């Protein structure tokens, strides 16, 4: 079938919103084991909330840099399965491939790993013989990932596409004295991850160097910026640049989402108080 | 110990109701790694609701055809552990083996893969040295699966049995103008999977070809039969033949179990309205 | 880097309190795959309740004996990440290594596998190039585990430590006629595992041989000691020595934690009634 075995592949890494109750993710691994029995398969997570494409996209972006270069990422959060959204595979400059629906799920990871080429998964011989309209993870995406792992060139999977769907978290809004962000991801500890990157925060801070910065979230008008989750008093809220390198709201030994009763989209405000900043 | 290493085995695939909180499933993998360090182990799921043997049986049946032929399935939903229910292993014509308690868990998969031979797991040398009365997954089933993976002939594990316990979902009830099924599985998306197979549905439809078919579920007297979960209006209920090839009730971008407040056993009715059918 | 590949390693076994929603555990596997691509990785569990160090320690202790001797255990329940608690690795007489924070998490397993040597993870070349203050699982612990798996001698990871933090469940309290224990672990079935070991129970029973023993828990003044979870009436509570070899309170086909509305720390009492015991 035009493939060459390739010993130095990374693993096939799976992310879905299938949860852990059913056999669905397991069945995808069965399909992979049938096509590429030597492939090592890693569960990134199957616990993304149902249909939360952006959460999955963020998780993929945060993971892509920590795996070997030639890893195959297989992402399936696919509320549009069986409709006209395209199944795609993406090759990146870093050597990683990404496989999944063209609904934005793969965009942030593709961008981080430097997108090189996109194809539509159309070649029938690299799908399961019977393709359902309800489970492309099993019938189209898992086979494609397994064939790529075996060394199949991307182009064999289908025709090249000029572009893919782009999906990004909201951007921060900045003016002279304020930086306004929002919560874009909530993790299982209840940590509230905002869209304010360390770079944006530091650039804002350097513009405001004569003044004091306050981090405001919900009823807290001045959260301490901590270096570690374990700083501050037991049960106290804090701000921290966590593993995403984004500003997070956390609670020491606690759960910030519950503490603040916070949901996605909640505002985080960085406020500069004191003498007017000089523009740089 | 009378085994021959076997390179072209499929993986050992584990399904349990142990959940994801404890070390129990992990410990089974430790036992397997101790006996068959080269075996690849796949989690089918550990999220079957506690003691729900039929749900586990359905998940195993849906998985068995998507794994390599010589896969070992290890199923542990075992409320009768330590009582007189027998520990068994099953060989199938397709080459797969199934290991677990003889409480019906393995039946649907054994039937689908074509049952060839059943043995009781009695040989002490293929169990752990100490067998508890509370965790046969660790002490009896995992060792048996690992030894089978190493190529041990089934008969070495114990004496042959003439039969195993059979467990099936309820059948559909059909008359001239009605096909009555019920919900037999609810997945993590809240999709409600009925016992009405596509074949039964189509046979009924062909008998009723002069008339119109209505799909009734709870307060909905006429659900549209969709081809994809993403058809219809956002939040609208629909019927679909999903990945089980059974009629499912779903909600677009939503959770049908919550939408309908539905549980296992809820009735699904296919009703033929219009001119009387001719009998075939 | 001073390592020698080692073919007969056991797996790298990961336990965390990260849950199953996020990519965090998956990212650790990416780091491992980047350093030790041939390593087999097993999820012991990621479902330990957040920051419950003792629960994780018990799970590690119960697992350590069931894995191959040269297994690497990687435990990350780490509320003090980024503070002055030390990152450590431990070598044991059984050949297993343990990697994680020095907060007590590794103690019970180290004790069971017979602690030999402890080092602090300080060598920069065996960490990721950038070490955050929020995710040492990724930046320090996963790399250390992967390097140990590759055969790196423990001493290369950092300076030796004279001791590590010890953490144990509360002990039982015993007098002539009573043995008082408490619930120290609750599993996903709702089984309530106490700190009363079979050895302690039997020693107490032999001291009280002239009398009858009653097992008291909450509103039940005399729980039957069963050999199997499936003994007794459907829905009835029972006591059993389960897979921990500790006295458990369970409910047949049910959930004891819900049945008794019980939490960690609840008392279990063994009472001797009848003729006074002779002291041994």
């Amino acid at each position: 079938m035009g493939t060459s075995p390739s010993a130095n592949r990374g693993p096939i890494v799976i992310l879905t919103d299938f949860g852990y109750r059913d056999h669905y993710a397991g069945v995808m691994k069965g399909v992979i084991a049938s096509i590429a029995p030597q492939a090592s398969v890693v569960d990134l997570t199957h616990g993304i909330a149902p249909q939360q494409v952006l959460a999955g996209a963020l998780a993929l972006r945060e993971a892509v840099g920590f795996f070997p270069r030639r890893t195959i990422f297989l992402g399936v959060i696919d509320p549009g399965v069986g409709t006209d959204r395209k199944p795609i595979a993406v090759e990146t400059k870093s050597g990683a491939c990404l496989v999944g629906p063209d609904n934005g799920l793969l965009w942030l990871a593709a961008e981080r790993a430097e997108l090189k080429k996109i194809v539509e998964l159309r070649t029938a011989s690299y799908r399961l013989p019977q393709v359902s309209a309800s489970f492309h993870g099993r019938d189209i995406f898992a086979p494609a990932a397994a064939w790529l792992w075996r060394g199949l060139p991307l182009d064999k999977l289908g025709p090249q596409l000029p572009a893919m769907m782009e999906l990004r978290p909201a951007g921060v809004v900045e003016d002279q004295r304020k930086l306004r962000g929002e919560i874009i991801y909530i993790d299982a500890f209840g940590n509230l991850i905002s869209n304010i990157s360390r770079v944006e925060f530091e650039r804002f801070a350097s513009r405001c160097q004569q003044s004091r910065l306050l981090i405001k979230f919900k009823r807290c008008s001045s959260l301490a910026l901590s270096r570690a989750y374990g700083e501050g008093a037991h049960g106290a809220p804090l701000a921290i640049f966590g593993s995403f390198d984004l500003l997070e709201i956390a609670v020491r030994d606690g759960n910030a989402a519950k503490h603040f009763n916070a949901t996605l989209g909640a505002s985080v405000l960085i406020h500069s108080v004191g003498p007017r900043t000089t523009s740089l």
Side-chain angles (χ1 to χ4, degrees), chain A:
Chain A
M1 292 227 201
T3 67
S4 60
S6 103
N8 64 337
R9 275 277 167 206
I12 296 174
V13 176
I14 314 183
L15 171 143
T16 75
D17 64 346
F18 295 170
Y20 290 88
R21 198 198 294 179
D22 308 306
H23 52 286
Y24 301 147
V27 164
M28 287 173 60
K29 296 184 217 173
V31 171
I32 291 169
S34 300
I35 296 169
Q38 305 302 320
S40 155
V41 175
V42 170
D43 295 305
L44 186 56
T45 178
H46 303 292
I48 302 293
Q51 295 131 16
Q52 296 302 303
V53 176
L54 181 61
L58 286 163
L60 281 171
R61 180 183 74 183
E62 292 309 307
V64 75
F66 291 97
F67 278 87
R69 293 172 66 80
R70 301 188 63 215
T71 295
I72 315 277
F73 292 89
L74 169 50
V76 187
I77 301 179
D78 195 13
V81 58
T83 65
D84 59 3
R85 72 92 191 87
K86 290 190 174 72
I88 61 172
V90 170
E91 203 173 287
T92 68
K93 283 193 190 139
S94 78
C97 288
L98 309 163
V99 176
D102 185 23
N103 61 7
L105 176 63
L106 307 179
W107 173 251
L108 293 172
E111 196 181 40
R112 180 153 296 180
E114 295 182 78
L115 177 58
K116 209 170 82 183
K117 195 191 276 186
I118 312 160
V119 300
E120 183 181 347
L121 302 175
R122 225 195 267 168
T123 314
S125 51
Y126 301 117
R127 299 170 158 204
L128 290 197
Q130 276 204 300
V131 173
S132 71
S134 58
F135 194 1
H136 286 185
R138 177 188 70 189
D139 305 336
I140 297 179
F141 299 127
W147 282 108
L148 285 173
W149 190 91
R150 286 183 55 163
L152 186 80
L154 195 77
D155 287 320
K156 299 272 184 185
L157 292 171
Q160 205 170 323
L161 294 175
M164 62 189 286
M165 187 173 154
E166 302 184 9
L167 180 73
R168 289 187 179 77
V172 299
V173 179
E174 186 176 346
D175 67 23
Q176 281 291 87
R177 306 196 69 100
K178 278 196 305 243
L179 189 66
R180 185 186 296 276
E182 63 179 66
I183 301 306
I184 58 169
Y185 189 93
I186 303 177
D187 76 13
F189 293 97
N191 296 321
L192 303 160
I193 291 105
S194 81
N195 57 349
I196 302 173
S197 71
R198 192 192 292 265
V199 170
E200 284 166 315
F201 182 86
E202 286 176 354
R203 199 181 49 211
F204 181 74
S206 74
R207 282 210 295 115
C208 308
Q209 50 191 341
Q210 299 296 85
S211 61
R212 208 155 56 88
L213 292 188
L214 298 180
I215 302 174
K216 296 185 173 185
F217 184 71
K218 296 251 177 176
R219 60 184 180 268
C220 283
S221 58
S222 176
L223 283 167
L225 184 59
S226 299
R227 219 188 63 86
Y229 293 114
E231 285 181 2
H234 177 84
L238 55 92
I240 185 173
F241 283 98
S243 67
F244 290 71
D245 230 27
L246 295 171
L247 193 70
E248 291 180 25
I249 313 299
V251 164
R252 173 155 187 201
D253 307 322
N255 182 305
K258 286 183 186 161
H259 180 91
F260 287 107
N261 193 20
T263 52
L264 291 175
S267 281
V268 181
L269 199 69
I270 316 295
H271 210 90
S272 130
V273 293
R276 192 131 188 87
T277 58
T278 55
S279 70
L280 293 181

